[in-house]
């Protein structure tokens, strides 16, 4: 095969791949936000960046539009009961959370009892509204959480409460700990 033909073919492939590489790198890959244009092509000296503001005609660019960033997350308010512990090696704290017109319950726990447990988390709201979920609580020192699905809020945040009950998963279902979003702290009643 002719080496000259191979060289020309390689050159054509490189030239054809540069716009694709520039598109992949994006317009602000180099000089991000500094008005220099950036991108792979300009970093290789192959862009049309010349004159004022990187425009070939030397004209100043129009006012730059702000790039959309990550969507601002709505604020999440929480009302939590105290951190409670059971002598069997279980710690828990239960909260009611509210954000963007939705309310749900969450219980944080750590199970060092050495055995798997069952948890039932219940959120009670105004007008007899109740949401309940059952969670498997694995044995181990790692913290975990049990959370109900989110539901549309009805009423004021203080109209909601949550209770998590942790029990041994046997026929008797012996209760080890009950943790609530409005539980009194130790020694408070």
């Amino acid at each position: 095969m002719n080496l000259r033909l191979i060289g020309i073919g390689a050159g054509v492939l490189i030239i054809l791949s540069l716009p694709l590489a520039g598109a992949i790198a994006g317009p602000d890959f180099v000089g991000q936000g500094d008005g220099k244009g950036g991108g792979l092509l300009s970093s290789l000296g192959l862009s049309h960046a010349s004159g004022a503001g990187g425009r070939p005609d030397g004209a100043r660019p129009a006012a730059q539009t702000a790039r959309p960033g990550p969507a601002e997350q709505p604020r999440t308010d929480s009302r939590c009961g105290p951190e409670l512990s059971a002598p069997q090696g279980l710690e828990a704290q239960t909260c009611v959370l509210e954000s963007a017109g939705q309310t749900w319950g969450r219980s944080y726990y750590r199970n060092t009892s050495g055995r798997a447990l069952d948890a039932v988390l219940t959120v009670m709201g105004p007008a007899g509204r109740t949401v309940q979920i059952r969670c498997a609580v694995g044995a181990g020192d790692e913290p975990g959480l049990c959370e109900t699905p989110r539901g549309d809020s009805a009423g004021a945040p203080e109209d909601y409460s949550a209770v998590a009950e942790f029990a041994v998963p046997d026929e008797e279902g012996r209760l080890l700990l009950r943790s609530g979003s409005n539980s009194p702290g130790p020694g408070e009643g």
Side-chain angles (χ1 to χ4, degrees), residues 56-172:
D57 60 2
R60 293 254 176 230
Q64 293 184 359
T65 58
R67 294 186 129 205
E72 187 173 318
Q73 297 296 318
R75 177 182 165 154
T76 300
D77 293 320
S78 64
R79 286 183 2 286
C80 300
E83 294 179 33
L84 301 175
S85 61
Q88 295 86 356
L90 178 66
E91 301 170 357
Q93 182 178 30
T94 302
C95 306
V96 171
L97 298 114
E98 189 276 326
S99 179
Q102 295 195 310
T103 303
W104 68 101
R106 181 183 293 164
S107 186
Y108 302 95
Y109 62 82
R110 183 182 307 252
N111 177 15
T112 60
S113 68
R115 64 186 302 179
L117 302 173
D118 283 337
V120 175
L121 175 61
T122 306
V123 176
M124 295 150 290
R129 294 175 148 204
T130 302
V131 176
Q132 189 175 72
I133 191 165
R134 183 175 303 273
C135 299
V137 177
D141 194 29
E142 293 300 313
L145 66 89
C146 180
E147 184 173 275
T148 66
R150 298 174 185 213
D152 292 336
S153 299
E158 52 273 358
D159 294 339
Y160 287 86
S161 62
V163 174
E165 296 176 315
F166 296 86
V168 176
D170 60 13
E171 292 178 18
E172 296 176 20

Side-chain angles (χ1 to χ4, degrees), residues 40-67:
L40 180 61
L41 295 178
S42 65
S43 68
L44 295 174
L46 300 174
S47 73
H48 298 290
S50 62
R55 295 190 41 176
D57 60 2
R60 293 254 176 230
Q64 293 184 359
T65 58
R67 294 186 129 205

